[in-house]
């Protein structure tokens, strides 16, 4: 029998980002995951009622998904980045939200206090698996178990993949302190 040698592999070296690059990277992750056409495709794939993908409730779908992504990026930064990067990213909230709509101060504050806070609470408490329940309750006004099974599977799966992709990407960097 031939003996085998086990070698330990070192984790790949992380790319070092300056403070400004760190904030930009977080904003890019947000933008990539909140493109309206992508959110609407997700809604169609999930067989959400048509008013959410082409009707009067499109803004509600966009807002819910945007709040979820903003919370995913925020909690990823809480784990992987210095507080200064997290704070500066959060300062960008108004600018990030106005990529899709022109929102006044009251609308931005409502987004932060309502949708964003609800998703952030679950993720910060490591209960991200409860985000799909929240999504269906807030969007459709019905418990997740009352939503079509396909809708639940697509939304839950996409949420899990989105969180994983964002957090994995943030884990690839070494963030500089301001």
């Amino acid at each position: 029998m031939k003996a085998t040698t086990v070698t330990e592999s070192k984790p790949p070296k992380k790319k070092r980002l300056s403070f400004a690059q760190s904030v930009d990277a977080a904003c890019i992750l947000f933008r990539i995951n909140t493109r309206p056409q992508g959110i609407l495709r997700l809604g169609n794939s999930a067989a959400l009622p048509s008013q959410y993908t082409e009707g009067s409730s499109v803004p509600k779908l966009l807002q819910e998904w945007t709040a979820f992504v903003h919370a995913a990026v925020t909690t990823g930064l809480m784990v992987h980045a210095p507080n200064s990067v997290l704070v500066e990213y959060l300062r960008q909230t108004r600018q990030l939200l106005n990529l899709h709509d022109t929102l006044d101060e009251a609308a931005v504050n409502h987004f932060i206090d309502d949708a964003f806070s609800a998703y952030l609470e679950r993720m910060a408490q490591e209960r991200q698996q409860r985000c799909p329940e929240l999504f269906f309750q807030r969007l459709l006004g019905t418990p997740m178990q009352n939503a079509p099974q396909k809708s639940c599977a697509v939304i839950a799966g996409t949420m899990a993949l989105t969180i994983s992709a964002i957090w994995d990407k943030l884990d690839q960097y070494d963030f500089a302190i301001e």
Side-chain angles (χ1 to χ4, degrees), residues 43-69:
N44 283 320
S45 295
L48 292 176
S50 62
Q51 73 258 29
Y52 295 100
T53 58
E54 56 192 48
S56 60
S57 296
V58 165
K60 192 170 182 178
L61 172 61
L62 297 177
Q63 179 179 345
E64 281 307 308
W65 190 261
T66 298
F68 162 73
V69 170

Side-chain angles (χ1 to χ4, degrees), residues 38 75 92 101 147-148 171-172:
T75 53
Q92 304 295 318
D101 294 309
D171 189 42
Q172 294 175 8

Side-chain angles (χ1 to χ4, degrees), residues 8 59 170:
E8 289 185 33
L170 291 172

Side-chain angles (χ1 to χ4, degrees), residues 64-125:
E64 281 307 308
W65 190 261
T66 298
F68 162 73
V69 170
H70 194 38
V73 173
T74 299
T75 53
L77 290 172
M78 291 166 87
V79 172
H80 298 288
N83 286 340
S84 58
V85 172
L86 171 64
V87 169
E88 188 57 32
Y89 170 74
L90 290 172
R91 284 187 184 136
Q92 304 295 318
T93 298
R94 170 184 291 290
Q95 180 183 347
L96 291 170
L97 293 178
N98 282 329
L99 294 173
H100 308 306
D101 294 309
T102 304
L103 301 175
D104 61 20
E105 186 75 24
V108 171
N109 289 339
H110 178 70
F111 172 86
I112 292 167
D113 293 340
D114 186 42
F116 170 66
S117 293
Y119 289 102
L120 183 63
E121 177 184 347
R122 279 157 183 78
M123 287 188 217
Q125 295 174 352

